[in-house]
Amino acid sequence: MSTVTTTPARGKGARRKTTKAKVPNAVWGLIGILVFLGIWELLPALGIVKAEYLPPASEVLVTLAKDFTLTAFWLAVGETMLAWFIGLLVAVLLALVLGLVIGMSSFLRRATNSTIEFLRPIPSVALIPLAVLLFGTKIESSLMLIIYACFWQVLIQVLYGVADVDNVAMQTARSYGFSPFQRIRDVIFPTMLPYLMTGIRLGAAVALILAITAELIIGSPGLGKEIQLAQSGGAIAGMYALIVATGLLGVLINLGMRLIEKRILSWHVSVRGENIA
Amino acid sequence: MLSNSNGITGGRTLPEGEALLSVRGLKKVYHTDGGDIEAVRDLTFDLGRGELVCLVGPSGSGKTTLLKCIAGLLSATSGEVLLDGEKVTGPPKKMAVVFQEYGRSLFPWLRVADNVELPLKNAGVPKAERKKLVEDALDAVGLSHVPRSYPWQLSGGMQQRVAIARAVAYQPEVLLMDEPFAAVDAQTRADLEDLIRNVWKKLGVTVLFVTHDIDESIYLGERVIILSSSPTVVQEDIVIDLPAERDQLETRSLPRFTELRHHVYAEIQKAKQGHRPEEAKTTFLTNPK
């Protein structure tokens, strides 16, 4: 009886709390950014850090705004995003196909488990010398690092997803005479989709890190290379502006991924929230 | 009319050619690390075309195992299941199964109508025909107003209705139900029982309904097969001679209903205590009236 009387009250309370918290969240976030920029502005102004090492925020932001008007800047962004996109796409496709094949066979799962656990922790940046040997400073170098790093992120998620297929759902599919292909398309793939999306979201962040890393260190074209050029050319404010630009790219990619996830997985518990029934 | 082959432990069997579904000497042993577990020892019975038969037994009596063997989802250790004279080796086309766990059996990523439509789509039924079948099936279970909802937006009873609609739309000759109402509340359960009686009458489908609920088996069935405790054999196979029109209040208050209930209850108690039938029995309880 007590649950009957307390449940609606608790529900109302929780709802009020979230609506109350939602508006200030955005405001608090904005205040946080402003405070951060303020401290950044003050550090060189007060002489705590030399302005030649850390130009004030205003100067960096103005440089960034100027960058936005330059074709060369957008070309660099385009190069980085191209490597990011192709790398992520290839990694996801490879991991999806291999993950489905391995995940559906208990023999293959057992046979590949130790190999996967050995190859997975190898940091992709350790492959930089090999990439340079194979591809020099071309975009392929970036791609190799990106694909290697993202592949494992996605593969592991796909394997978890395939393992999560519900027994009853599968028996239902079998009892209605679904062919093996129909079982993959209509039961295994949708079950795995939330895991795949998590893998892609993680992979997207990793892909950006490695795209910039490859450009910085190997010198393949893109924002990373521009950062390196700005630094060696003494354009310190320009360097910081490009670093901020990479950060903005990361934020945009994450937002985009969340949006896609929400669209595709509207039926899933993680998106739909509390059960209505 | 009723034949019972001499010496074979089992339920009612029909002359060759008359049975739609035949279970013959079915045995299922699970091989586990802890040794072999004999879930089903020796089951023999027949279902005639258009019958509504309930299977009851104490918990752990291998009811679900039996049903999965009949559905072609599990292979029997020995013995066989025949559908229309053909041996069942995999899930047959003419069969549909309604599982107890409706929440896991329905696909949460598909809307109600799409859930009902999917088996038809995969079976290659033309689109126009599919649409009609889905509409009729949803109508039959009283859910024609929520085709665009997702299953998880509905109550438990409604979700099980969707699963029943999916089975009905598939137009099976045999409908297998594995304790389909065990997880819904009592009122919903009564509604769903009447729904099954209606669907059965309207479509002329053959229904095998597994339950652990004695009252439910008598209220629903035209015949009740009582299973022994594990390792399972048929304990008794009785005909339910209640009026064809069943009503939750009236039927359940008939003296005959109470008698049948007592009888089945006593049999199950015996089964629980390890009593085993010496040989096959097909019993007509004499109607006192």
Side-chain angles (χ1 to χ4, degrees):
Chain A
M1 206 185 101
S2 62
T3 45
V4 175
T5 49
T6 56
T7 309
R10 203 191 294 147
K12 240 184 232 166
R15 213 175 303 138
R16 203 181 303 141
K17 225 183 224 169
T18 49
T19 45
K20 226 184 203 175
K22 244 182 193 165
V23 183
N25 255 353
V27 177
W28 278 115
L30 203 66
I31 292 173
I33 292 174
L34 287 175
V35 168
F36 172 76
L37 288 176
I39 293 171
W40 180 2
E41 186 72 24
L42 284 174
L43 283 177
L46 297 173
I48 299 169
V49 182
K50 279 191 188 167
E52 50 200 275
Y53 297 143
L54 181 67
S58 54
E59 193 186 333
V60 170
L61 290 182
V62 167
T63 315
L64 182 62
K66 263 187 216 152
D67 278 348
F68 283 163
T69 64
L70 300 176
T71 328
F73 170 80
W74 291 111
L75 277 178
V77 171
E79 306 262 24
T80 300
M81 291 312 287
L82 184 69
W84 172 84
F85 179 74
I86 296 176
L88 187 61
L89 185 71
V90 173
V92 168
L93 290 180
L94 275 177
L96 181 57
V97 173
L98 275 172
L100 281 175
V101 171
I102 295 172
M104 281 188 297
S105 143
S106 64
F107 166 74
L108 279 179
R109 258 203 323 269
R110 268 178 286 139
T112 56
N113 186 36
S114 51
T115 315
I116 290 176
E117 287 310 314
F118 170 71
L119 291 175
R120 192 164 68 104
I122 297 178
S124 201
V125 284
L127 300 176
I128 287 178
L130 178 64
V132 174
L133 269 181
L134 288 173
F135 304 112
T137 62
K138 284 184 290 187
I139 190 175
E140 283 90 333
S141 292
S142 306
L143 289 181
M144 184 177 152
L145 302 189
I146 296 169
I147 291 169
Y148 189 86
C150 295
F151 174 76
W152 301 112
Q153 296 274 6
V154 182
L155 181 72
I156 296 294
Q157 291 297 325
V158 172
L159 287 178
Y160 279 136
V162 175
D164 194 41
V165 169
D166 191 288
N167 210 6
V168 176
M170 204 31 128
Q171 280 178 349
T172 304
R174 283 179 56 206
S175 72
Y176 282 114
F178 286 19
S179 68
F181 169 73
Q182 288 166 343
R183 278 180 240 162
I184 294 175
R185 185 193 60 194
D186 297 331
V187 183
I188 297 177
F189 186 78
T191 304
M192 186 212 59
L193 199 57
Y195 292 86
L196 178 68
M197 288 311 297
T198 303
I200 294 177
R201 189 157 42 77
L202 296 173
V206 169
L208 183 68
I209 293 172
L210 282 154
I212 304 290
T213 307
E215 291 157 9
L216 261 173
I217 296 176
I218 305 174
S220 41
L223 274 179
K225 188 181 176 188
E226 299 302 318
I227 292 174
Q228 212 275 322
L229 287 177
Q231 186 257 351
S232 57
I236 302 302
M239 180 189 82
Y240 276 106
L242 290 169
I243 293 173
V244 172
T246 57
L248 288 176
L249 271 187
V251 171
L252 286 179
I253 285 171
N254 206 21
L255 284 177
M257 286 295 158
R258 292 242 177 235
L259 208 72
I260 294 171
E261 218 169 12
K262 241 184 189 169
R263 274 277 166 81
I264 296 182
L265 302 179
S266 58
W267 54 271
H268 193 255
V269 199
S270 64
V271 176
R272 76 188 192 221
E274 219 175 303
N275 203 335
I276 296 165
Chain B
M1 184 177 91
L2 292 175
S3 73
N4 215 335
S5 330
N6 303 333
I8 296 175
T9 308
R12 193 194 66 183
T13 53
L14 294 166
E16 210 168 312
E18 279 183 30
L20 176 61
L21 184 79
S22 301
V23 178
R24 288 285 173 276
L26 193 81
K27 176 190 179 88
K28 177 70 188 177
V29 179
Y30 289 106
H31 303 285
T32 66
D33 294 341
D36 289 355
I37 297 168
E38 188 180 22
V40 172
R41 175 164 289 173
D42 181 8
L43 283 174
T44 297
F45 61 88
D46 276 344
L47 254 64
R49 200 173 285 279
E51 270 195 296
L52 199 177
V53 178
C54 290
L55 261 172
V56 274
S59 64
S61 62
K63 298 186 291 279
T64 298
T65 302
L66 166 64
L67 199 92
K68 282 184 178 158
C69 287
I70 295 176
L73 293 168
L74 269 181
S75 56
T77 308
S78 68
E80 57 184 10
V81 176
L82 299 168
L83 177 60
D84 237 348
E86 273 177 58
K87 193 174 172 182
V88 171
T89 50
K93 263 220 131 58
K94 304 169 190 166
M95 234 182 231
V97 185
V98 174
F99 294 90
Q100 180 188 334
E101 304 95 333
Y102 47 80
R104 293 163 62 194
S105 177
L106 294 172
F107 301 128
W109 48 86
L110 294 180
R111 293 173 195 275
V112 165
D114 299 331
N115 259 294
V116 177
E117 192 186 5
L118 187 61
L120 299 171
K121 216 183 207 168
N122 282 344
V125 178
K127 196 164 184 188
E129 199 184 330
R130 268 185 348 232
K131 196 167 168 259
K132 172 111 181 51
L133 284 169
V134 172
E135 271 172 20
D136 290 352
L138 285 176
D139 201 38
V141 300
L143 281 183
S144 41
H145 58 297
V146 291
R148 301 280 299 153
S149 299
Y150 284 100
W152 39 267
Q153 292 172 320
L154 307 176
S155 67
M158 285 167 94
Q159 290 184 41
Q160 192 57 291
R161 279 169 195 264
V162 177
I164 292 168
R166 178 169 64 179
V168 165
Y170 192 64
Q171 297 179 296
E173 283 184 26
V174 179
L175 180 57
L176 303 176
M177 309 190 87
D178 185 13
E179 304 204 23
F181 310 147
V184 298
D185 62 87
Q187 267 120 55
T188 309
R189 188 172 191 150
D191 291 345
L192 289 173
E193 285 165 4
D194 292 333
L195 172 74
I196 289 299
R197 290 279 308 180
N198 280 334
V199 165
W200 169 70
K201 263 189 236 156
K202 235 193 265 175
L203 304 179
V205 64
T206 307
V207 180
L208 182 61
F209 189 102
V210 170
T211 177
H212 62 260
D213 184 324
I214 295 164
D215 288 48
E216 184 169 80
S217 70
I218 297 166
Y219 180 76
L220 270 182
E222 301 288 293
R223 198 177 127 203
V224 171
I225 298 173
I226 305 167
L227 298 181
S228 74
S229 55
S230 183
T232 311
V233 297
V234 173
Q235 171 120 351
E236 205 185 345
D237 187 339
I238 64 171
V239 172
I240 302 297
D241 48 1
L242 291 169
E245 273 313 315
R246 309 248 165 121
D247 176 89
Q248 289 287 352
L249 283 178
E250 272 176 34
T251 306
R252 284 177 194 266
S253 54
L254 290 175
R256 184 65 185 151
F257 184 90
T258 315
E259 267 172 33
L260 287 165
R261 185 177 178 280
H262 275 251
H263 180 77
V264 175
Y265 184 81
E267 283 297 320
I268 297 221
Q269 284 311 109
K270 269 202 279 179
K272 273 191 196 160
Q273 283 149 19
H275 166 86
R276 307 195 67 80
E278 279 162 35
E279 65 159 19
K281 281 198 290 185
T282 299
T283 317
F284 268 109
L285 288 171
T286 41
N287 197 331
K289 273 190 182 172

